Amino acid sequence: LTVLNAGRRYLKAEDLSGKVFVTSGLGGMSGAQAKAAVIAGCVGIIAEVDEAALLKRHKQGWLMEISNNLNHCIARLREARKNKIALSLGYHGNVVDLWERLVYELDTTGELLVDLGSDQTSCHNPFNGGYYPVQLGFEEGKQLLSSNPGKFRTLVQESLKRHVAAINKLADKGMFFWDYGNAFLLEAQRAGADVAKKGANKTEFRYPSYVQHIMG
């Protein structure tokens, strides 16, 4: 319902075939995102750092494909988008790398390859394993979290700033992004990312919450 209503509200579209939804998280609550994309008929690219979560969703049949190669992900995205094929593709990697690759595609080809975007990393608990920084692999991140939580925190905040910078570039070109109620925008703001709504008070963000804007 979230994906369908986002399409209706932001894209003015009842039919989401050929539309691309990019997000992150295939764990507990976020695992349904892949299945939702296919039910809605769009192309869903979902990043996840933990291979166990990807394999679980694939085994369930909720996730159609898995890849750890961004070139392959972009090629599959283009193919499914062109042919209007419903697809759920799990990218085994950090979502920041995925967002930055989509910015690179925009900068080099002029193509905006994503229509809808969100995030379901566990940003209510970002410094204790809920969000892994792009600068490190998953296992490296776990080791650093254990050995030097202060350094881990710094890397998470740097990662959040990169995360938002990429989303902002794509949103400026017409992608519609929303917060999934996971404290993503709140933690990004605390990290110093540019998420404030221009001309509003500091508690208002430039992107909406799905509760207010989409489900409501």
Side-chain angles (χ1 to χ4, degrees), residues 27-88:
M29 291 181 69
S30 58
Q33 292 186 106
K35 194 170 183 69
V38 174
I39 292 171
C42 66
V43 180
I45 313 293
I46 307 99
E48 171 60 63
V49 292
D50 186 354
E51 187 177 26
L54 285 151
L55 293 174
K56 179 180 179 180
R57 299 308 176 194
H58 187 256
K59 187 177 179 181
Q60 281 179 319
W62 288 19
L63 185 65
M64 293 165 68
E65 299 176 19
I66 297 172
S67 176
N68 62 5
N69 185 299
L70 275 176
N71 290 334
H72 177 75
C73 288
I74 296 299
R76 287 293 289 130
L77 183 162
R78 288 182 183 277
E79 181 184 14
R81 178 173 173 252
K82 179 182 178 182
N83 295 313
K84 297 190 174 182
I85 297 167
L87 172 69
S88 57

Side-chain angles (χ1 to χ4, degrees), residues 14-208:
E14 288 289 337
D15 180 7
L16 292 184
S17 59
K19 303 299 184 185
V20 178
F21 171 46
V22 171
T23 184
S24 59
L26 285 167
M29 291 181 69
S30 58
Q33 292 186 106
K35 194 170 183 69
V38 174
I39 292 171
C42 66
V43 180
I45 313 293
I46 307 99
E48 171 60 63
V49 292
D50 186 354
E51 187 177 26
L54 285 151
L55 293 174
K56 179 180 179 180
R57 299 308 176 194
H58 187 256
K59 187 177 179 181
Q60 281 179 319
W62 288 19
L63 185 65
M64 293 165 68
E65 299 176 19
I66 297 172
S67 176
N68 62 5
N69 185 299
L70 275 176
N71 290 334
H72 177 75
C73 288
I74 296 299
R76 287 293 289 130
L77 183 162
R78 288 182 183 277
E79 181 184 14
R81 178 173 173 252
K82 179 182 178 182
N83 295 313
K84 297 190 174 182
I85 297 167
L87 172 69
S88 57
L89 171 60
Y91 168 56
H92 181 208
N94 197 291
V95 72
V96 179
D97 285 325
L98 177 57
W99 283 122
E100 289 181 345
R101 176 58 185 266
L102 290 164
V103 171
Y104 172 80
E105 294 294 326
L106 176 66
D107 289 344
T108 55
T109 69
E111 275 190 291
L112 178 66
L113 294 177
V114 53
D115 303 284
L116 298 170
S118 193
D119 185 87
Q120 276 205 49
T121 51
S122 297
C123 274
H124 61 280
N125 190 23
F127 308 122
N128 198 30
Y131 181 101
Y132 279 83
V134 66
Q135 304 93 319
L136 301 173
F138 183 50
E139 294 302 326
E140 292 175 301
K142 285 200 290 187
Q143 289 170 10
L144 184 65
L145 175 59
S146 176
S147 64
N148 191 340
K151 176 67 173 174
F152 184 86
R153 182 188 185 98
T154 299
L155 291 182
V156 164
Q157 292 191 316
E158 289 174 2
S159 185
L160 281 166
K161 284 190 277 190
R162 280 176 58 180
H163 197 153
V164 168
I167 288 168
N168 288 350
K169 287 180 182 177
L170 296 163
D172 286 345
K173 295 296 182 180
M175 178 191 75
F176 292 92
F177 183 89
W178 70 89
D179 183 284
Y180 238 130
N182 60 335
F184 172 70
L185 292 176
L186 177 63
E187 286 300 336
Q189 183 184 58
R190 288 171 174 167
D194 180 17
V195 293
K197 187 175 182 179
K198 301 293 185 284
N201 66 54
K202 66 180 182 179
T203 61
E204 287 190 77
F205 299 115
R206 65 191 290 173
Y207 301 112

